[in-house]
Amino acid sequence: MISEETFFIKLGSRIRQLREIKNLSQQDLANDCNIPKRQIGRIERAEVNPTLRTLIKISNALELELKNLLDFSIK
């Protein structure tokens, strides 16, 4: 079992890690997702609960399947 707080912390870290691997700024990712840059920052800092729609946009922008975005065991 994983707590909600832990899930969102891990999700934010994973998104930041994958974004940085792709050499994307928060603004680049936001532009690719058509969402505000501040929203990317808030997701990465685990300040918000992103919608499934937003997670799909992020996974598409990072060229990943959604299941891989959510697989915290992959490094």
Side-chain angles (χ1 to χ4, degrees):
M1 297 286 283
I2 186 171
S3 72
E4 288 179 33
E5 182 178 354
T6 299
F7 175 83
F8 290 116
I9 289 169
K10 287 182 179 247
L11 176 63
S13 292
R14 178 121 172 98
I15 290 170
R16 179 180 294 119
Q17 172 192 39
L18 293 167
R19 175 180 60 74
E20 290 174 349
I21 287 170
K22 295 227 175 232
N23 258 347
L24 296 172
S25 67
Q26 286 183 346
Q27 187 63 61
D28 293 332
L29 183 56
N31 291 344
D32 291 346
C33 296
N34 196 29
I35 61 177
K37 175 188 170 210
R38 71 181 182 279
Q39 185 72 355
I40 296 295
R42 292 172 72 204
I43 292 167
E44 289 184 356
R45 292 187 304 275
E47 296 175 354
V48 295
N49 176 355
T51 65
L52 183 55
R53 184 179 308 268
T54 298
L55 292 178
I56 290 169
K57 288 179 181 183
I58 291 171
S59 67
N60 287 340
L62 294 172
E63 300 175 326
L64 292 170
E65 290 189 36
L66 181 58
K67 68 180 182 177
N68 293 329
L69 180 68
L70 301 176
D71 188 347
F72 307 133
S73 66
I74 298 174
K75 299 292 179 194

